Amino acid sequence: MLLNFRAMSEQTSKDPARPHAVVIGSGFGGLAAAIRLGKRGFRVTVLEQLDAPGGRAYVFRQDGFTFDAGPTIITAPFLLEDLWQLCGRRFADDVDLRSLQPFYRIRFFDGSILDCSNDDASMAAQINRFAPGDLAGYGRFLAASEAIYKVAFERLGHVPFDSWFDMVRLAPELVRLGSYRTIYGLAASFVKDSRLRFALSFHPLFVGGNPFNTTSVYGLIAFLERRWGVHFPIGGTGRIVDGLVGLIRGQGSQVRYGAKVAEISVSGNRATGVRLVSGERFDAEVVVSNADSMATYGDLIPAPLRHRWTDRKIARARYSMSLFVWYFGTNRLYPEVPHHTILVGARYRELLRDIFDRKVLADDFSLYLHRPTATDPLLAPPACDAFYVLSPVPHLGGNIDWQSAAEPYRRSISRFLNDTLLPDLERHVVTSKIMTPLDFRDRLSARNGAAFGLAPELTQSAWFRPHNRSEEIQGLYLVGAGTHPGAGVPGVLSSARVLDTVVPDAASFKH
Ligand SMILES: Cc1cc2nc3c(=O)[nH]c(=O)nc-3n(C[C@H](O)[C@H](O)[C@H](O)COP(=O)(O)OP(=O)(O)OC[C@H]3O[C@@H](n4cnc5c(N)ncnc54)[C@H](O)[C@@H]3O)c2cc1C
């Protein structure tokens, strides 16, 4: 049976009667795009420059520890289930997704703790301890978040937004939702306690935006989490990536590693395929780029062919922050530390100014600490814990020399964790690896080393963001964090869904 299936896959992957689609990059957006195009009759080849799939969600193993490099907070599982269903399969057969309760712990600089979840009684009791006067406002915030979700996620997330008319048609809805306001402004209009204002407004940091200038549309994330939960797969996020690659191969399509695209070939104004750095060429009727959108235009398409995304516009675009990530394993357990902890420093607005505006490396930080072994102990050797700690830092548009700054910065984070959540940490670290903005630039080909592509500001959203159907080149499509709707696993999966609207049916290509 397995042999027959393989034989069928081999045959369909070479089937010259089917139009060919090339996908550049194997991030979540690229893999989801490949599945959707495969389902619609295309023969798909995914070309990935790295030696394994996932992009930001790459997995590395070191000294018996398994580290997911990127996404760990899995929301909107129905978007993944859709992809399995398209292939006639069940997500649950391939991935054991566990629902987390609480979703995450926020530990404020004064030592107070808020365990965020969709358990109303627990949230009410905690808010009453923080600021009883804010409970009613919290309820009103949740109602606002739901209203935003219903419009922005359910109705706008998979609209292509490639005509100005879409924007004009939907503008009244966006205005009615107050999308001109910032997410921090929205939270502050409902609650007074500064810690609660943080808890209701920090979500854009998960997609690279500064809550003080990111549109309140991102207020939808609170409802998304509340309605669908926060999850983590046994075996790590990499299990989902492997599952997606399995679906692609099952459709008879191919995923090639070590295949860096140097150029998108264009004839007239139409994409005709790609050329790899090695010189190898692939002809294609459809080219989808999951590479950073600004790098797609700036590096893969010659300047004379571009009218909207000129070199000048790419240089002037506003980029998301970057990240410093320290992955480490300990030869002891920290059972009191939950799966996800957000450690909030004393400065909120000013620290974000350092990161987004001044672009300097501050001495203090706010951190996200991931302890996946809280949910799956097999991600580390027996009696050991796997961790990563992530600190938002400026992108490479600043003047930080990461070659010399990285190790002292890691040490100061280590000391901070040692003195707060992880006593004796410094004596128990047995494996260690860091990722700096240079890795985002050099490994993942991200402009400015930005961790989440273009910043999610109102003037870089929807029609203003690079379109999913390229406005420059026919037959070229964009998916992933740098196009509509934006970063985060749900965002990039939604970007692939837009392709179903904008890519013509395979049957329409004469062969
Ligand atoms: C540390 C970290 C933690 C995060 N945590 C979360 C989280 O908990 N929850 C959440 O929802 N989101 C999270 N995110 C955001 C989320 O991971 C990303 O927005 C999303 O995974 C990006 O997917 P993408 O489709 O844009 O592709 P990417 O992951 O950016 O992948 C693009 C791929 O294209 C390849 N590529 C680029 N150029 C070329 C080329 N020329 N030729 C061939 N290949 C090329 C790259 O190598 C890469 O593999 C996190 C991000 C980071 C960095």
Side-chain angles (χ1 to χ4, degrees):
M1 178 68 189
L2 186 65
L3 279 179
N4 282 345
F5 179 68
R6 279 224 183 101
M8 196 179 79
S9 296
E10 289 276 297
Q11 197 191 343
T12 43
S13 72
K14 292 186 185 126
D15 179 0
R18 299 204 293 163
H20 189 208
V22 160
V23 178
I24 306 167
S26 68
F28 266 103
L31 296 175
I35 291 165
R36 288 185 176 278
L37 293 172
K39 170 69 185 170
R40 292 180 58 211
F42 288 89
R43 179 168 58 93
V44 186
T45 307
V46 180
L47 299 169
E48 168 56 55
Q49 63 186 351
L50 299 178
D51 60 355
R56 264 77 175 162
Y58 186 91
V59 177
F60 63 91
R61 295 180 175 80
Q62 189 168 292
D63 300 325
F65 294 79
T66 301
F67 296 102
D68 283 311
T72 57
I73 296 177
I74 302 300
T75 52
F78 57 90
L79 293 174
L80 293 163
E81 286 159 7
D82 263 7
L83 296 169
W84 262 258
Q85 260 171 30
L86 280 179
C87 300
R89 308 269 307 266
R90 268 171 28 106
F91 178 67
D93 290 341
D94 288 341
V95 182
D96 179 1
L97 198 65
R98 299 288 169 93
S99 173
L100 299 188
Q101 213 49 272
F103 298 161
Y104 35 80
R105 168 168 292 174
I106 305 181
R107 184 184 183 280
F108 296 95
F109 62 95
D110 60 2
S112 56
I113 278 173
L114 184 67
D115 279 337
C116 297
S117 73
N118 52 2
D119 176 335
D120 289 339
S122 156
M123 289 307 291
Q126 294 182 85
I127 290 169
N128 269 332
R129 275 203 303 278
F130 273 71
D134 278 341
L135 187 56
Y138 170 69
R140 288 198 300 277
F141 172 85
L142 290 182
S145 168
E146 179 170 356
I148 297 171
Y149 173 90
K150 293 235 150 93
V151 176
F153 192 88
E154 288 184 349
R155 291 186 33 216
L156 309 188
H158 52 279
V159 169
F161 274 110
D162 61 356
S163 88
W164 180 241
F165 176 70
D166 280 339
M167 203 63 192
V168 172
R169 192 167 48 88
L170 296 163
E173 293 260 42
L174 293 166
V175 171
R176 192 175 57 74
L177 289 172
S179 57
Y180 49 86
R181 269 203 302 199
T182 67
I183 173 81
Y184 182 82
L186 182 77
S189 72
F190 289 114
V191 295
K192 290 204 170 61
D193 186 277
S194 61
R195 295 163 302 176
L196 294 179
R197 284 180 172 180
F198 174 91
L200 302 186
S201 71
F202 77 92
H203 291 99
L205 287 166
F206 283 161
V207 290
N210 177 351
F212 290 93
N213 63 16
T214 297
T215 160
S216 60
V217 168
Y218 284 87
L220 71 83
I221 299 176
F223 180 75
L224 184 79
E225 289 180 351
R226 201 176 145 72
R227 170 70 181 81
W228 303 100
V230 165
H231 310 269
F232 187 74
I234 296 300
T237 306
R239 280 289 161 86
I240 305 179
V241 172
D242 290 345
L244 292 170
V245 171
L247 295 182
I248 293 169
R249 297 218 159 110
Q251 289 177 318
S253 294
Q254 289 188 32
V255 185
R256 287 257 311 255
Y257 303 113
K260 182 173 171 109
V261 172
E263 185 184 71
I264 295 172
S265 320
V266 179
S267 169
N269 189 34
R270 186 162 193 94
T272 55
V274 299
R275 177 175 59 79
L276 299 188
V277 167
S278 65
E280 193 178 352
R281 287 180 182 276
F282 292 78
D283 292 335
E285 277 77 10
V286 165
V287 176
V288 176
S289 180
N290 178 221
D292 181 286
S293 57
M294 292 298 93
T296 297
Y297 284 123
D299 299 341
L300 304 185
I301 297 176
L305 296 177
R306 290 182 270 122
H307 304 290
R308 181 168 178 201
W309 297 102
T310 57
D311 289 349
R312 182 177 151 90
K313 187 162 163 96
I314 291 171
R316 289 179 154 205
R318 288 170 311 285
Y319 290 82
S320 74
M321 72 209 182
S322 193
L323 298 171
F324 177 91
V325 196
W326 177 33
Y327 309 87
F328 59 95
T330 58
N331 63 0
R332 60 156 285 191
L333 293 171
Y334 290 92
E336 62 290 351
V337 177
H339 191 129
H340 303 294
T341 309
I342 295 157
L343 294 114
V344 186
R347 297 190 310 144
Y348 184 25
R349 190 191 289 258
E350 281 306 307
L351 178 61
L352 293 174
R353 280 211 178 113
D354 284 347
I355 296 170
F356 286 91
D357 304 334
R358 294 188 273 263
K359 298 190 179 56
V360 295
L361 194 57
D363 292 332
D364 57 338
F365 23 64
S366 282
L367 305 171
Y368 157 63
L369 181 67
H370 183 222
R371 178 175 169 255
T373 31
T375 304
D376 182 359
L378 295 180
L379 294 169
C384 295
D385 259 338
F387 289 95
Y388 85 50
V389 61
L390 168 165
S391 177
V393 295
H395 63 60
L396 293 171
N399 261 334
I400 301 163
D401 173 8
W402 281 105
Q403 301 282 7
S404 57
E407 181 52 21
Y409 195 63
R410 186 202 65 76
R411 275 201 301 271
S412 76
I413 290 177
S414 171
R415 270 195 304 277
F416 176 78
L417 292 174
N418 190 84
D419 297 344
T420 51
L421 280 192
L422 306 177
D424 265 350
L425 172 65
E426 297 192 329
R427 288 201 300 119
H428 289 282
V429 172
V430 289
T431 192
S432 170
K433 180 182 172 76
I434 56 172
M435 182 158 79
T436 77
L438 298 176
D439 295 289
F440 286 97
R441 186 191 66 190
D442 300 338
R443 253 178 78 75
L444 292 162
S445 306
R447 275 278 156 139
N448 271 334
F452 306 86
L454 288 181
E457 295 171 16
L458 196 57
T459 51
Q460 297 194 139
S461 297
W463 185 83
F464 299 106
R465 223 167 165 74
H467 299 173
N468 305 96
R469 169 168 43 199
S470 170
E471 54 273 57
E472 304 279 14
I473 306 285
Q474 282 177 34
L476 172 65
Y477 301 87
L478 271 64
V479 294
T483 180
H484 173 70
V489 174
V492 304
L493 294 177
S494 299
S495 74
R497 215 170 124 197
V498 177
L499 294 192
D500 286 349
T501 316
V502 294
V503 176
D505 280 335
S508 70
F509 291 92
K510 288 207 180 69
H511 223 67

